[in-house]
Amino acid sequence: MDFTPLTDALASKLYDKISDICDELMLKFAAEGVHFQDEWPYAIHLLGHIYVNDINSARFLWKSIPSAIKENQTEVVAVWKLGQRLWTRDYAGVHEAIGGFEWSQETRVLVAAFSELYTKRMFQLLLSAYSTISIQDTACFLGMNEDDAANYVLQQGWIVDPASRMLTVKKQPIVTEQKLDSSKLQRLTEYVFQLEH
């Protein structure tokens, strides 16, 4: 079996392409009648779906994985625990699942990239959902200890009240593009024309 497209995507850090590549390769091998179950990179495939936040596809892939693989490949089970935490919105549990397993060389980089992406997603969630939040809750969402979480958000301009251990969220300015309506431009042109004449 030729996994070159997958290895190339991993080497190029095109993690958002992993799930599509794996899906296509799986279909191709199945159409060719190739027996690939024992050699298939299920952990990478699951992580690819998780990376792009496609938990439904990850669930369907999990259900299709043979029982023997689930029983013998602990890394596949560890990836699915991560998927389960995402499915149930157990934000702290996602970080625990990431840190609670000794990932193989093949998956370590992808897990680290997902962890970084997930932290950014959680930060954006906090940014949109809260005006104030405790340092403890922030640390839980970001998967960090309280000092690291406080430092992380302080770098983003948030304000900390040391007495109450609460953070004030600094909202990002909303940038809106003003679209120029052609009819307004026509009226403005006519108005300026009348002023000049």
Side-chain angles (χ1 to χ4, degrees):
M1 287 184 292
D2 183 15
F3 288 109
T4 304
L6 178 58
T7 54
D8 288 349
L10 287 167
S12 301
K13 299 182 180 182
L14 298 172
Y15 305 128
D16 58 334
K17 307 286 186 218
I18 300 296
S19 61
D20 289 339
I21 291 169
C22 287
D23 290 345
E24 289 172 20
L25 286 173
M26 186 178 263
L27 288 172
K28 177 186 171 209
F29 295 148
E32 293 172 357
V34 177
H35 180 74
F36 57 84
Q37 290 182 347
D38 294 338
E39 299 173 42
W40 190 256
Y42 287 107
I44 296 288
H45 196 166
L46 278 169
L47 278 169
H49 285 297
I50 288 169
Y51 186 86
V52 294
N53 205 21
D54 187 359
I55 305 306
N56 278 331
S57 293
R59 284 181 57 227
F60 289 121
L61 177 60
W62 172 256
K63 289 178 180 182
S64 73
I65 296 173
S67 298
I69 301 291
K70 293 176 184 177
E71 292 168 7
N72 296 319
Q73 294 185 18
T74 57
E75 189 164 64
V76 173
V77 175
V79 172
W80 181 237
K81 283 182 184 174
L82 176 59
Q84 288 173 309
R85 299 305 192 283
L86 287 166
W87 180 258
T88 60
R89 294 186 176 92
D90 178 1
Y91 304 115
V94 170
H95 296 292
E96 290 170 9
I98 290 169
F101 187 79
E102 188 64 38
W103 303 100
S104 69
Q105 188 66 33
E106 296 94 27
T107 58
R108 187 175 299 136
V109 174
L110 185 52
V111 170
F114 170 74
S115 179
E116 184 179 325
L117 180 65
Y118 185 72
T119 298
K120 288 177 182 176
R121 285 180 189 158
M122 288 299 97
F123 177 76
Q124 290 302 316
L125 177 68
L126 295 177
L127 193 60
S128 64
Y130 291 90
S131 56
T132 58
I133 185 172
S134 71
I135 293 174
Q136 181 181 6
D137 288 345
T138 303
C140 191
F141 275 100
L142 298 179
M144 303 175 181
N145 65 44
E146 291 185 15
D147 290 338
D148 290 343
N151 289 332
Y152 183 87
V153 297
L154 287 173
Q155 291 173 3
Q156 308 300 319
W158 292 21
I159 301 166
V160 65
D161 177 3
S164 65
R165 309 243 334 126
M166 293 295 288
L167 294 160
T168 302
V169 176
K170 180 183 178 191
K171 301 289 185 186
Q172 301 295 325
I174 298 173
V175 179
T176 57
E177 285 186 33
Q178 288 190 358
K179 296 183 180 177
L180 195 52
D181 184 1
S182 61
S183 64
K184 289 180 183 177
L185 182 59
Q186 180 65 33
R187 285 189 301 234
L188 180 61
T189 304
E190 291 171 3
Y191 179 74
V192 171
F193 181 76
Q194 289 174 358
L195 288 176
E196 290 178 347
H197 293 70

